[in-house]
Amino acid sequence: MRFFGTTWVAHDGGYAPRRVAVTVGSLAAAVGACLLLRFAYQGLQIADASPFVGVLVIVMFSVCSAIAFRKTWEGFSKRPVDRAREEQLRSLKGIGFIGSLFAYFLRSFAEAPGEGLRRTEYETAVVRYERRRTTRTGNPAARKANRPKRPKRPPRK
């Protein structure tokens, strides 16, 4: 939702071009990241590192990318239950940044990434606000204005 501001609420203010830009940008960033990792792997080959190191790097980035993809994808539909666990996975998601970028890319086809979660939270908050606003007693002066006036008693004799 970083690139959308509040345009996701009513899909106005350049929402469609922003979504296209996010889709293209996330794909370009993922492709660039893959090229960067390829150069790093070629550096390992030039340095004549053992084949075990090369396999270990490939497996590490693959596993981390898969975990980052899954966690990022889940983050679009629900808030994390355990914040401490999410903090522990932060470095793993940093290593698997390609998975996060691909999750962002795929999600941007359907909606602005995170829009569904934010929309349900927003609609729930609006309903809660309306319910709270209508049941609240409010300003006593305004309450008196809305209430029908009682007829005055005749003076006592």
Side-chain angles (χ1 to χ4, degrees):
M1 300 309 301
R2 175 174 301 143
F3 304 109
F4 293 93
T6 58
T7 61
W8 60 271
V9 175
H11 291 191
D12 60 351
Y15 174 80
R18 288 181 189 196
R19 243 183 72 195
V20 169
V22 164
T23 304
V24 171
S26 61
L27 180 63
V31 168
C34 288
L35 289 174
L36 182 70
L37 286 179
R38 179 175 164 83
F39 291 143
Y41 184 75
Q42 285 176 346
L44 286 175
Q45 287 179 336
I46 291 171
D48 200 25
S50 69
F52 176 72
V53 173
V55 170
L56 190 63
V57 167
I58 291 171
V59 168
M60 179 198 57
F61 274 105
S62 300
V63 169
C64 290
S65 290
I67 292 171
F69 179 89
R70 184 173 150 252
K71 286 303 200 178
T72 303
W73 193 264
E74 287 175 356
F76 293 142
S77 60
K78 63 181 178 180
R79 295 276 179 208
V81 177
D82 188 9
R83 284 283 200 199
R85 180 154 170 78
E86 288 298 315
E87 284 298 318
Q88 291 173 349
L89 291 175
R90 177 181 260 178
S91 61
L92 191 120
K93 286 168 65 175
I95 294 169
F97 62 98
I98 294 175
S100 293
L101 289 170
F102 275 120
Y104 211 77
F105 167 70
L106 292 175
R107 189 60 171 211
S108 62
F109 281 119
E111 66 181 8
E115 178 183 349
L117 176 64
R118 294 269 175 106
R119 185 167 301 284
T120 57
E121 290 174 348
Y122 173 75
E123 289 170 355
T124 304
V126 167
V127 167
R128 267 196 330 252
Y129 172 78
E130 290 298 325
R131 191 176 331 133
R132 193 174 59 224
R133 183 77 178 130
T134 56
T135 59
R136 195 164 83 182
T137 56
N139 183 355
R143 219 178 23 227
K144 288 179 184 176
N146 293 336
R147 188 173 31 176
K149 296 190 180 208
R150 293 187 304 181
K152 292 186 178 182
R153 286 191 214 170
R156 287 188 174 170
K157 293 184 182 182

